Amino acid sequence: MPTAVLTDRERTAVQAYLRLLHTVRAAFDGPPDGGRPALVPPAVLAEAERALAHAGLAGNEEEFFRLLRDWCPPD
């Protein structure tokens, strides 16, 4: 299986995205009491946005998700 070699900026963007994904999952996996909406801390979202922009991937979702698939292939 080929392995993607990411630049530092690309790796930072992928890691920030994965942190955002885990945060969102944790928010939605909370208690099903229905009393509060799922919250994602603005700092986590801002981190991902900054990392994507810094890597030149903002607005280029196709390239970003290709990098993500290559770096974190599904089991």
Side-chain angles (χ1 to χ4, degrees), residues 20-62:
L20 175 61
L21 180 63
H22 292 294
T23 301
V24 169
R25 282 184 177 164
F28 281 104
D29 285 345
D33 62 6
R36 64 178 176 83
L39 297 176
V40 176
V44 176
L45 184 55
E47 175 197 18
E49 289 177 347
R50 279 191 311 272
L52 286 169
H54 194 65
L57 295 167
N60 192 350
E61 292 81 8
E62 184 177 339

Side-chain angles (χ1 to χ4, degrees), residues 4-15 51-52 54-57 63 66-67 71:
V5 178
L6 304 179
T7 67
D8 288 341
R9 290 178 179 180
E10 291 169 340
R11 185 173 24 264
T12 298
V14 169
Q15 290 170 334
L52 286 169
H54 194 65
L57 295 167
E63 176 65 13
R66 183 194 61 76
L67 289 171
W71 197 57

